[in-house]
Amino acid sequence: MGVMTEEARRWAERQYPRFEMQVTGTDIAKFAHATGETNPIHFDRGAAIAAGYPDVVAPTLFPYVVRMHASALVPPEQLEADGSPSADVPPLPTRRAMAGETSVEFGERIVAGDVISVDKRLADMYEKEGRSGPLVFVEMEFTFTNQRGEMVARENFTRIYR
Amino acid sequence: MSALPEVGAEALVQTRTPSALDLFMFSASSWLLHRIHYDTPFTTGHDGHPGLLIHGPLQGVYLVQTAESWLGDAARLRSISYRHLAPAYLGDTLECGGSVTAADDDGVEVELWARKPDGTVTTTGKARFERR
């Protein structure tokens, strides 16, 4: 009856290698322009320095960019037909996924030149009976740290398979 | 130091209608490769979506921008949680707003939302700001 098979339980115990992203001013400017940021501290080094930062500053939700690179910066043959990274797809009878809750706590700001490490962990994977059948919740936990060992963000992200 | 608003105060609503170019730039800059945000034939043929989906995380950014442009001079965003209640598609307009739900000596808590003009809420969130 349950869809949390032995195979799914083993998948849930997987470990993820630490990922490091060298964050450039170009990475920050791309994300800033893509999201319509107008404050020059995100793309003009002089403006960032005048505002008291050592270099251009990443927009608040930039840790998302780092964790997407950690998941999806793989050879194309390691992607599913829909473009999602195969390593993130659990062995379940369904692949219909929807985003659950995202929670982010912020620490030090990310600036150009930082090397941001992501430690990724599957915090929990469990089944609940939904109205139209089983639902499986996959809860991922990400810790983002800069090159000085300071916490820049912590994020919990739940994906729901139905 | 700018003052923080009181409980019940509301953010100025910000309206966003992301174009196909905006969706592509968000995917490209974040390396989010999921086709449902840039490949129209795949998206309309798959799950029967009427069009390209506006990314959930992009709506998260809209909530953060709405709150930061309101409170960011006086306080810093310490944490945010958000979840998606309904899909939003290319062509949809999202009205983003929020209000203060709690205040203390150190900061405020706000609830945030993105909704379509017909009232359908697509994303809802809660955030905590602390005085600078």
Side-chain angles (χ1 to χ4, degrees):
Chain A
M1 44 162 283
V3 294
M4 278 296 287
T5 57
E6 191 56 40
E7 187 193 8
R9 273 177 225 288
R10 269 202 308 277
W11 184 88
E13 283 164 17
R14 65 214 318 263
Q15 305 285 312
Y16 299 86
R18 170 175 263 214
F19 177 83
E20 279 189 358
M21 179 167 173
Q22 304 194 15
V23 177
T24 66
T26 309
D27 295 324
I28 292 174
K30 281 182 182 174
F31 186 69
H33 290 314
T35 55
E37 295 285 355
T38 53
N39 190 332
I41 63 169
H42 301 306
F43 40 82
D44 177 341
R45 191 158 187 264
I49 289 170
Y53 297 102
D55 209 321
V56 291
V57 192
T60 303
L61 284 183
F62 191 85
Y64 174 73
V65 174
V66 183
R67 84 156 161 86
M68 280 316 301
H69 282 76
S71 288
L73 194 57
V74 295
E77 59 269 21
Q78 294 175 28
L79 300 172
E80 299 293 291
D82 70 357
S84 56
S86 304
D88 285 348
V89 180
L92 295 171
T94 173
R95 290 195 168 185
R96 286 180 68 92
M98 50 189 181
E101 188 163 74
T102 302
S103 294
V104 199
E105 178 193 336
F106 303 99
E108 295 298 316
R109 295 299 299 247
I110 297 174
V111 297
D114 278 355
V115 179
I116 303 298
S117 307
V118 196
D119 291 298
K120 173 175 172 178
R121 193 173 82 82
L122 195 151
D124 205 358
M125 181 168 171
Y126 54 93
E127 182 174 350
K128 274 188 185 175
E129 199 51 39
R131 203 172 295 172
S132 57
L135 300 171
V136 177
F137 292 71
V138 179
E139 191 183 327
M140 302 300 304
E141 187 181 281
F142 304 87
T143 305
F144 304 83
T145 312
N146 67 18
Q147 67 280 8
R148 290 181 297 279
E150 297 159 337
M151 190 275 280
V152 295
R154 262 193 282 271
E155 175 172 355
N156 272 66
F157 170 62
T158 304
R159 197 179 276 119
I160 305 164
Y161 291 86
R162 63 194 162 94
Chain B
M1 188 178 72
S2 327
L4 282 172
E6 293 175 358
V7 173
E10 293 186 0
L12 198 64
V13 171
Q14 296 193 0
T15 299
R16 306 297 177 92
T17 310
S19 65
L21 178 60
D22 291 323
L23 299 188
F24 173 74
M25 286 194 296
F26 187 80
S27 289
S29 67
S30 61
W31 205 251
L32 169 58
L33 304 180
H34 211 172
R35 285 180 191 264
I36 57 172
H37 306 296
Y38 57 85
D39 183 340
T40 304
F42 177 89
T43 307
T44 53
H46 181 80
D47 288 351
H49 287 298
L52 298 178
L53 284 110
I54 300 175
H55 319 70
L58 178 56
Q59 297 182 54
V61 169
Y62 292 163
L63 298 189
V64 167
Q65 290 174 337
T66 300
E68 284 186 335
S69 62
W70 177 32
L71 306 166
D73 287 344
R76 188 180 164 205
L77 180 60
R78 299 313 309 201
S79 61
I80 185 168
S81 302
Y82 59 86
R83 60 200 177 93
H84 308 295
L85 305 181
Y89 295 102
L90 174 62
D92 281 341
T93 289
L94 297 174
E95 301 167 343
C96 306
S99 62
V100 177
T101 53
D104 56 46
D105 290 346
D106 300 327
V108 292
E109 281 172 28
V110 294
E111 61 180 17
L112 300 163
W113 42 261
R115 70 176 181 220
K116 298 184 195 182
D118 70 4
T120 308
V121 175
T122 60
T123 300
T124 176
K126 283 181 185 172
R128 164 120 190 126
F129 278 78
E130 289 181 359
R131 286 182 198 283
R132 288 188 185 278

